[in-house]
Amino acid sequence: MQRYTNTAREIWDMEESQSPRMGSVILGVDGGASNTVCVCIPAAMPFADPLPVLSRAVAGCSNHNSVGEGRARETLERVMAQALLKARRRRSNVCAVCLAVAGVNHPIDQQRMLEWLREIFPSHVKLFVENDAVAALASGTMGKLHGCVLIAGTGTIAYGFTRDGREARAAGAGPVLGDWGSAYGISAQALTAVVRAYDGRGPETVLTNNILDFLGLASPDELIGWTYEDQSWARIADLLPVVVESAEAGDEVANKILHNSVGELASSVKAVVQRLELSGEDRKDPFPLVMVGKVLMANKRWDIGKEVIDCVTKTYPGAYPIHPKVEPAVGAALLAWNAVASEIDGSPRTVA
């Protein structure tokens, strides 16, 4: 345990000043492009509904592709430290950590994160690093890795697992490589539509007035400065409600953007299902399709999530949608809990 950020060091130093409670715990972390959540659950918990969450902490973006590796690690360390502090536990109480973070796309990414975590936690702590999509899937299947998950928040990714452990993904390469269907992708297309309408390359759209009013700007000329003064993905993605409202008001440009997004999201799911043959040879075998993210939430007239499901089930009728009752951070904790449960009481367990 060697390297700490100044902020995290201050929190870790408080370990010695508090009277810790007894009992081993597990940390589950969900790190996305908008925020990072860490939950602390008891390691020897009985399975119950609702799940016993001892504490929860929230911080900002921890996607290293968005904010850089140093800032991402600072955020992750701070949120884990805060969760332990709230639960009145120390790092010595931790038996496992599952870090599920956007931007972890390669074994090299996983190994770097594992080595960093090993510097923070004692040697007895079991460490797991996954893409955030894996935790999102587990949040819908209560820790079982089978089926497909579609995340459509600030970014988007489809990720799937077979019962024998094969996995596949589609999209999730970030905005430069085309996270179309995400809140960022939808909002970026809306901004482009406003600029095109302003200079005569595209049709008029109510997105112009609606976005300018939302941002407090006077002219589309000002959009250029606003866009490039801070290019964080979450900031652009915050325009999603404006696009949806414009579409619901009948704007053709906004509706076209959303329709295209439905197609992109459905294509990601279909690509994963096809590669893993999740629906069997006849395409009718049942499999869970976990739906996560603000883009997939129903609005007054537009329900992107339902449109995606309708599109997927036309090809794969066995897909059954699941809207998780617990957040992805709990899914991450369940993954770690399933992995270490057999060592806690001597018998293998799975969360049903």
Side-chain angles (χ1 to χ4, degrees):
M1 294 182 286
Q2 302 171 10
R3 296 187 316 211
Y4 311 116
T5 63
N6 290 334
T7 303
R9 181 188 293 276
E10 293 173 2
I11 298 176
W12 291 135
D13 286 347
M14 294 182 67
E15 284 183 324
E16 303 302 323
S17 64
Q18 69 173 355
S19 299
R21 292 175 178 171
M22 300 297 290
S24 296
V25 295
I26 289 172
L27 296 180
V29 182
D30 170 48
S34 293
N35 57 46
T36 302
V37 178
C38 178
V39 298
C40 178
I41 66 172
M45 68 175 183
F47 184 71
D49 186 12
L51 291 169
V53 175
L54 300 175
S55 66
R56 180 179 186 271
V58 183
C61 173
S62 56
N63 185 333
H64 66 89
N65 291 326
S66 178
V67 298
E69 193 165 299
R71 185 173 168 188
R73 289 184 176 185
E74 178 181 352
T75 298
L76 290 166
E77 192 167 1
R78 182 169 66 249
V79 79
M80 290 187 291
Q82 289 174 341
L84 283 175
L85 183 63
K86 288 181 178 180
R88 292 183 59 187
R89 299 299 201 278
R90 296 178 178 177
R91 282 169 288 176
S92 58
N93 293 115
V94 178
C95 69
V97 178
C98 180
L99 207 61
V101 187
V104 174
N105 301 316
H106 191 276
I108 294 176
D109 298 327
Q110 289 180 304
Q111 189 58 39
R112 278 206 310 265
M113 296 298 288
L114 285 169
E115 292 172 356
W116 170 70
L117 284 172
R118 182 50 65 205
E119 295 178 347
I120 297 173
F121 289 95
S123 59
H124 73 271
V125 179
K126 293 190 175 298
L127 304 173
F128 307 90
V129 174
E130 301 285 357
N131 185 276
D132 63 330
V134 180
L137 175 61
S139 72
T141 60
M142 299 309 290
K144 294 180 178 179
L145 290 182
H146 170 249
C148 182
V149 62
L150 174 64
I151 298 179
T154 299
T156 182
I157 187 173
Y159 214 114
F161 281 86
T162 61
R163 296 188 187 279
D164 60 4
R166 291 182 296 117
E167 59 187 275
R169 57 176 285 170
V176 175
L177 298 178
D179 263 359
W180 308 127
S182 68
Y184 177 94
I186 290 170
S187 301
Q189 289 179 74
L191 288 171
T192 300
V194 170
V195 173
R196 288 176 61 85
Y198 182 62
D199 64 20
R201 289 177 296 145
E204 293 297 319
T205 170
V206 300
L207 285 168
T208 299
N209 288 335
N210 290 350
I211 289 178
L212 292 179
D213 288 347
F214 182 79
L215 298 177
L217 303 178
S219 166
D221 283 329
E222 298 178 28
L223 275 179
I224 299 174
W226 178 87
T227 299
Y228 293 109
E229 70 181 3
D230 178 358
Q231 298 182 54
S232 67
W233 304 345
R235 179 170 171 264
I236 303 294
D238 285 342
L239 295 174
L240 173 67
V242 182
V243 185
V244 175
E245 290 170 8
S246 300
E248 292 181 335
D251 184 72
E252 291 186 8
V253 174
N255 271 288
K256 183 177 180 180
I257 291 172
L258 296 188
H259 278 296
N260 290 342
S261 298
V262 168
E264 289 287 346
L265 295 172
S267 293
S268 295
V269 173
K270 291 178 182 180
V272 170
V273 175
Q274 180 177 3
R275 286 169 62 190
L276 296 178
E277 299 179 324
L278 286 175
S279 62
E281 293 183 1
D282 63 357
R283 297 187 173 186
K284 295 181 180 179
D285 288 359
F287 65 90
L289 174 56
V290 180
M291 308 286 282
V292 177
K294 57 189 175 184
V295 173
L296 304 176
M297 297 174 64
N299 294 281
K300 293 178 181 178
R301 297 180 183 176
W302 253 102
D303 189 338
I304 295 176
K306 182 179 181 301
E307 296 286 338
V308 171
I309 291 168
D310 289 346
C311 187
V312 171
T313 52
K314 286 179 181 178
T315 306
Y316 300 107
Y320 57 92
I322 295 176
H323 298 277
K325 296 181 180 179
V326 299
E327 62 184 331
V330 175
L334 287 171
L335 287 172
W337 183 76
N338 279 337
V340 303
S342 59
E343 298 182 14
I344 296 172
D345 62 7
S347 61
R349 290 185 292 182
T350 58
V351 178

